[in-house]
């Protein structure tokens, strides 16, 4: 992987902080941050247990907040930073929101839909494509997840 952009590193650290907040509430530690024009618009973390909602993944929580804040269901200039490669459901939400760029930390070899299992970011038959960069602070992001699951075994 190439040298990490300093700005991308800072935003991923914010996503990691959100992931740590999820962990303190007993959720799988995944965090996300939506950035527009170099400003943090919204953040979120996994809330599937808290909200009793299987769709309350970090990405979707952050996208919903950002859309309300900017009062638009299209986030066409947004970059989403997330600590774990999005699943197919979350990639669908990113595509529907017209997210411009996705930056993720840890690859997900079991459910990743940005290249690990499948790649929905540039599917020819879809009407939107997303720029993707994976592996940003991957060791930190994957380490948090590994420690979380190890403690539960």
């Amino acid at each position: 992987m190439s040298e990490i952009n300093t700005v991308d590193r800072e935003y991923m650290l914010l996503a990691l902080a959100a992931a740590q907040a999820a962990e303190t509430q007993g959720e799988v530690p995944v965090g996300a941050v939506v950035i527009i024009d170099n400003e943090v618009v919204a953040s979120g973390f996994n809330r599937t247990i808290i909200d009793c909602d299987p769709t309350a993944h970090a990405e979707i929580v952050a996208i919903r907040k950002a859309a309300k804040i900017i009062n638009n269901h299209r986030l066409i200039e947004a970059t989403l930073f997330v600590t774990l490669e999005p699943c197919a459901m979350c990639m669908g939400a990113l595509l529907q929101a017209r997210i411009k760029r996705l930056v993720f930390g840890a690859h997900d070899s079991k459910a990743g839909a940005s290249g690990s299992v499948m790649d929905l970011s540039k599917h020819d038959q879809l009407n939107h494509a997303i720029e993707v960069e994976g592996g940003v602070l991957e060791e930190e992001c994957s380490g948090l997840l590994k420690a979380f699951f190890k403690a539960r075994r």
Side-chain angles (χ1 to χ4, degrees), residues 88-115:
M89 175 185 69
C90 291
M91 280 304 295
L94 271 74
L95 289 162
Q96 290 299 317
R98 305 300 192 265
I99 297 286
K100 182 177 185 176
R101 180 172 177 244
L102 165 67
V103 180
F104 68 86
H107 288 82
D108 186 346
S109 63
K110 294 182 179 172
S114 301

Side-chain angles (χ1 to χ4, degrees), residues 6-126:
T6 304
V7 174
D8 284 357
R9 177 182 171 78
E10 293 304 314
Y11 291 139
M12 188 59 76
L13 288 171
L14 293 175
L16 269 165
Q20 291 165 339
E23 183 175 33
T24 65
Q25 297 190 36
E27 294 280 355
V28 174
V30 177
V33 179
V34 176
I35 308 298
I36 300 175
D37 294 330
N38 295 316
E39 299 281 333
V40 176
V41 176
S43 67
F45 56 80
N46 274 6
R47 299 183 52 89
T48 59
I49 298 166
I50 296 166
D51 293 348
C52 198
D53 179 356
T55 69
H57 288 195
E59 301 93 324
I60 292 176
V61 171
I63 287 169
R64 285 176 178 160
K65 286 181 182 179
K68 284 187 188 288
I69 288 168
I70 71 164
N71 196 32
N72 193 331
H73 68 289
R74 300 288 192 225
L75 303 172
I76 59 173
E77 293 301 319
T79 297
L80 183 108
F81 287 81
V82 63
T83 57
L84 180 64
E85 179 181 359
C87 67
M89 175 185 69
C90 291
M91 280 304 295
L94 271 74
L95 289 162
Q96 290 299 317
R98 305 300 192 265
I99 297 286
K100 182 177 185 176
R101 180 172 177 244
L102 165 67
V103 180
F104 68 86
H107 288 82
D108 186 346
S109 63
K110 294 182 179 172
S114 301
S116 290
V117 174
M118 66 186 83
D119 191 352
L120 296 177
S121 67
K122 293 172 181 62
H123 196 284
D124 290 340
Q125 292 178 311
L126 298 176

